[in-house]
Amino acid sequence: MSVHAGVSAGGVAVLAMTHGPWVLLACPVVAVVGWSRVVLRDHTLAQVLAGASGAVVAAATSRRRPAGRCRPVPVTRPT
């Protein structure tokens, strides 16, 4: 797996989930990073795609719960 492609794709995914879909305009950067890894013969196309898609899946499944929906946990102290 290409960690370079994963970091770039995961970063774009997290930023898009946080700041909105306009951040997806940065997707060509992910493509350039993947292309450079293949051209430099550091990875195959399959490794680049696996790294990028794995990072996007990890980012999409690791969303935190919004702060507005959290309830405070009652603290009980021993007497």
Side-chain angles (χ1 to χ4, degrees):
M1 277 198 210
S2 173
V3 175
H4 289 89
V7 168
S8 62
V12 169
V14 168
L15 288 172
M17 291 185 323
T18 306
H19 297 290
W22 64 270
V23 178
L24 294 175
L25 294 173
C27 283
V29 174
V30 176
V32 168
V33 169
W35 170 79
S36 70
R37 303 310 291 166
V38 174
V39 168
L40 293 173
R41 296 179 190 237
D42 287 334
H43 295 291
T44 64
L45 179 60
Q47 290 172 330
V48 168
L49 293 175
S53 62
V56 170
V57 168
T61 58
S62 65
R63 287 195 53 144
R64 289 183 51 191
R65 195 173 188 189
R69 295 184 183 182
C70 295
R71 295 184 189 152
V73 177
V75 177
T76 58
R77 297 184 180 154
T79 56

